[in-house]
Amino acid sequence: MTRLHHLALGSSRVERLAEFYRDVFGLPEVARHHDERGALRSVWLDLGGAWLMIEHSEQPARVVTGVGSGLFLFSLRVSIAERSHFERLLEQRGHAIESRTVFTSYARDPDGNRFAFSHYPEAAEPRHDA
């Protein structure tokens, strides 16, 4: 069986982006790599069976709207109860929830990468403020 091994996000601010995913979603750090000069090159976080590798990049952040070419979104699995918690936490940190469905909430990280968190296939009651 073939399964996901890792997702990689490039960032000019590796530590800031890793901190976001560690602090908001509680993703444990599993590895930290430095270049030959000792500068932080990457931080790897545990996605629960796969890794989120945040790699240093000199290129500016690429912000995709809608369905873009290539990877344009990744989604984390959460429970229904966790979904509300994460929505509140993100909004407290200044990250707006861009949209919602009955299963999924969509937002952006500090670099502008679009991500989601979803409890599909377990449906929640529809929100009246969405």
Side-chain angles (χ1 to χ4, degrees):
M1 178 199 296
T2 303
R3 288 180 259 168
L4 180 65
H5 184 269
H6 71 270
L7 294 173
L9 294 176
S11 178
S12 63
R13 298 183 62 191
V14 171
E15 183 62 54
R16 177 187 70 161
L17 198 56
E19 180 179 298
F20 173 80
Y21 286 105
R22 276 192 319 256
D23 291 355
V24 172
F25 293 102
L27 300 182
E29 185 173 316
V30 294
R32 188 172 277 253
H33 302 277
H34 296 83
D35 65 19
E36 60 282 349
R37 297 180 323 267
L40 184 61
R41 180 179 57 83
S42 66
V43 174
W44 297 3
L45 305 173
D46 185 351
L47 286 170
W51 293 327
L52 176 60
M53 297 177 174
I54 301 173
E55 304 283 337
H56 184 273
S57 174
E58 294 294 332
Q59 296 180 9
R62 177 180 73 107
V63 177
V64 176
T65 57
V67 177
S69 179
L71 183 65
F72 61 89
L73 170 83
F74 70 93
S75 185
L76 302 169
R77 181 184 307 264
V78 299
S79 70
I80 291 172
E82 288 173 322
R83 180 180 178 188
S84 296
H85 166 75
F86 291 133
E87 282 191 357
R88 281 191 305 278
L89 187 57
L90 285 164
E91 289 174 340
Q92 288 169 356
R93 292 170 162 254
H95 297 275
I97 302 302
E98 291 186 343
S99 61
R100 294 175 179 89
T101 69
V102 71
F103 300 106
T104 307
S105 299
Y106 299 86
R108 293 195 185 264
D109 68 23
D111 280 4
N113 298 302
R114 191 163 184 245
F115 67 91
F117 41 103
S118 180
H119 48 76
Y120 179 85
E122 189 178 359
E125 294 296 318
R127 290 178 57 129
H128 299 289
D129 64 335

